[in-house]
Amino acid sequence: MPLHEPSPYEVLGVPLSAGVREINLAVGPAVKRGRYSRQQIQEAAALLRNPDRRLELDVQQLLPPDPVSGVAELLAPALAEPLLVIDRPPLPPAETLLVLHRAELTADFADPPPAGVDPEPPVPARFAADLSVLPPIEIPE
């Protein structure tokens, strides 16, 4: 029993750069080898034929580590510079925030204007709703 799930590339025995034609041609030999079940082979081929799922698989696969010799020398100039620190402006005092909050509450819970006074400008006639914008409605008798 394998310790890990084989990648679709391993199941079909194709390289990472294999195209759809190579994938289709690899299904038959993979079935003849008999190392994996027919269902695993079909699922691997379907996954590799789908470009979106294949890209997702390629991104998720672990890449072999590259040699890291010389990295310290390459990063030395960047590490020698101080880190960029952004100075943020101080927050206003809590009393100011409380006053703003109180003003918002006052506006939210204020009495509505009298019925005769319209606080908003009228809608131009070309934007007014008429019966042409409403769906036909059958009124029951």
Side-chain angles (χ1 to χ4, degrees):
M1 183 168 169
L3 296 176
H4 70 287
E5 180 100 10
S7 77
Y9 296 105
E10 292 173 17
V11 172
L12 294 175
V14 294
L16 293 173
S17 60
V20 175
R21 185 167 188 269
E22 293 172 278
I23 292 167
N24 290 337
L25 293 174
V27 171
V31 170
K32 288 179 184 171
R33 280 194 301 266
R35 184 168 179 199
Y36 300 102
S37 69
R38 186 176 293 267
Q39 181 182 0
Q40 282 180 305
I41 294 169
Q42 293 300 328
E43 288 174 0
L47 189 142
L48 293 180
R49 284 185 202 119
N50 184 335
D52 295 331
R53 291 182 59 203
R54 184 173 181 174
L55 177 63
E56 183 179 337
L57 172 74
D58 291 346
V59 169
Q60 289 176 352
Q61 278 187 336
L62 297 176
L63 299 174
D66 291 333
V68 290
S69 62
V71 171
E73 293 83 22
L74 290 173
L75 292 178
L79 294 174
E81 296 177 12
L83 294 175
L84 176 65
V85 178
I86 299 173
D87 294 327
R88 294 184 179 171
L91 291 174
E95 299 82 30
T96 308
L97 294 175
L98 186 61
V99 170
L100 291 174
H101 184 63
R102 195 168 285 153
E104 289 174 1
L105 283 174
T106 306
D108 288 343
F109 292 102
D111 292 330
V117 178
D118 191 13
E120 296 181 12
V123 177
R126 66 177 184 231
F127 297 118
D130 59 359
L131 295 178
S132 66
V133 298
L134 298 176
I137 300 174
E138 295 182 18
I139 300 173
E141 293 180 21

